[in-house]
Amino acid sequence: MMPNYQFTVTAGSTSARRKKEIAEAITKAHCAVTGAPEFYVNCTFVEVPEDALWQGGDLLPGARMVGLIRDRPEAVKRELLLALGHAWADATGEPFTAAAMGLVAVPGYQTLENGALLPEAEDD
């Protein structure tokens, strides 16, 4: 469950058609920055109708991502977010400037996985 990168993608968009490539690229980016094993990384995709994403009152085709991660130092979170944006752009062919992503960091003890509270990221 942790980390979990959830993408909201519009039906028919490049992101909707390239889920596997996105998941692979996001996994690779997360592991390169954090050193986590690949099996830790979860990617989920929620596909919504073409008229479901809006920004500033304008229809917004494409994708949005929210990532839940265990808390890490600020420098690592910055590096990770940039790496994730580039990974998404590389996997979709969309411009990096179209990426809209956010990270939510929580302490390890606030995550239950396989019946146990997770340690803090620095304790892995």
Side-chain angles (χ1 to χ4, degrees), residues 4 7 13 18 27 34 44 47 50-51 64 72 74 80 93 98 101 110 113 117 120 122:
N4 186 28
F7 290 84
S13 68
R18 301 200 51 120
T27 298
T34 68
T44 58
E47 200 164 327
E50 292 177 3
D51 65 349
R64 294 292 184 254
R72 297 178 179 277
E74 181 180 334
L80 178 58
M101 302 178 162
Q110 290 182 348
E113 194 165 328
L117 298 176
E120 300 308 315
E122 66 269 7

Side-chain angles (χ1 to χ4, degrees), residues 78-107:
R78 289 176 182 271
E79 180 184 357
L80 178 58
L81 193 51
L82 290 171
L84 295 170
H86 285 293
W88 171 82
D90 291 346
T92 63
E94 299 285 333
F96 174 76
T97 55
M101 302 178 162
L103 295 176
V104 178
V106 299

